Amino acid sequence: MHLATLARHTLSRGATPAATYALLARLGHRPAPCARAVCLALDIPLPDISRRLADCHDALLADPRPDSEADTGEVLEALGVFDVPKSLTPTELAVVAHFLTAVDAHGSLRPGHHHGLTRWFTTGNLTTAYLSLAAAQPLPRTGDPTRYWTALTTAGELLATANPDARIRYALAHCRARAAGASPNEPYGKGR
């Protein structure tokens, strides 16, 4: 049976991408073809698959350790190798553009936070990305807090028009207050 077909069947039975990878690898297949098969089964575009696997090939797929299939699958999943990209609407693309402005204005976003944002942008989970950025504090010495909060206010306004989630409204009020110059020490959600 073709690896991608087996991966598609395994995923259709409720297995996670990480567990699907581990199953294929335990059957004796090399790591890179197993990871590629899972990506193909998830309908990830080929250019994305090649880039994602190239990014982690040497560290995870080139020289597998015995009995590490489950761990490798989980790491691949955590790295976003199996993230299914969502086609974003023009409004969602505009929101991401404002997020990127905010990231640039932050001053020093932690690598893990940046990685999470990239995954949320890819999968279209813009609400989580917005809430994460709204909870962060830009660095006054290396960043531009005014530009940060202004970008997040605009992004929140766009998100709020399409998403009735109350968390977005609260975060938007927080960003508006920061953009207007309210104290950064004021607790998130105060007075709501």
Side-chain angles (χ1 to χ4, degrees):
M1 182 181 284
H2 189 265
L3 277 180
T5 303
L6 180 56
R8 192 169 284 111
H9 174 73
T10 305
L11 290 166
S12 74
R13 309 246 342 179
T16 65
T20 301
Y21 167 86
L23 172 74
L24 297 177
R26 281 190 199 111
L27 292 174
H29 302 285
R30 298 287 306 153
C34 293
R36 180 176 299 281
V38 174
C39 291
L40 288 170
L42 292 167
D43 294 324
I44 296 170
L46 283 174
D48 286 349
I49 295 172
S50 297
R51 179 187 47 78
R52 293 175 189 193
L53 294 181
D55 288 348
C56 66
H57 184 270
D58 291 342
L60 289 171
L61 303 175
D63 189 25
R65 292 176 320 186
D67 300 319
S68 66
E69 299 88 358
D71 292 339
T72 301
E74 289 175 16
V75 171
L76 290 170
E77 194 162 8
L79 289 173
V81 170
F82 302 135
D83 285 353
V84 178
K86 178 186 182 274
S87 293
L88 301 179
T89 67
T91 301
E92 291 171 328
L93 289 170
V95 168
V96 170
H98 290 294
F99 287 164
L100 293 173
T101 297
V103 167
D104 183 55
H106 183 273
S108 183
L109 205 60
R110 294 181 330 269
H113 192 179
H114 197 276
H115 174 71
L117 289 169
T118 301
R119 292 189 69 195
W120 295 325
F121 298 165
T122 300
T123 60
N125 192 350
L126 302 185
T127 297
T128 301
Y130 183 63
L131 298 174
S132 174
L133 286 168
Q137 290 294 325
L139 303 177
R141 286 189 177 155
T142 57
D144 183 345
T146 301
R147 191 165 62 111
Y148 182 82
W149 294 117
T150 301
L152 288 183
T153 297
T154 305
E157 289 167 348
L158 290 169
L159 276 175
T161 61
N163 189 335
D165 190 327
R167 297 174 303 163
I168 292 174
R169 289 194 316 272
Y170 294 137
L172 176 56
H174 172 74
C175 293
R176 280 184 179 139
R178 297 295 88 72
S183 168
N185 296 326
E186 196 171 296
Y188 182 88
K190 182 179 177 186
R192 303 204 184 33

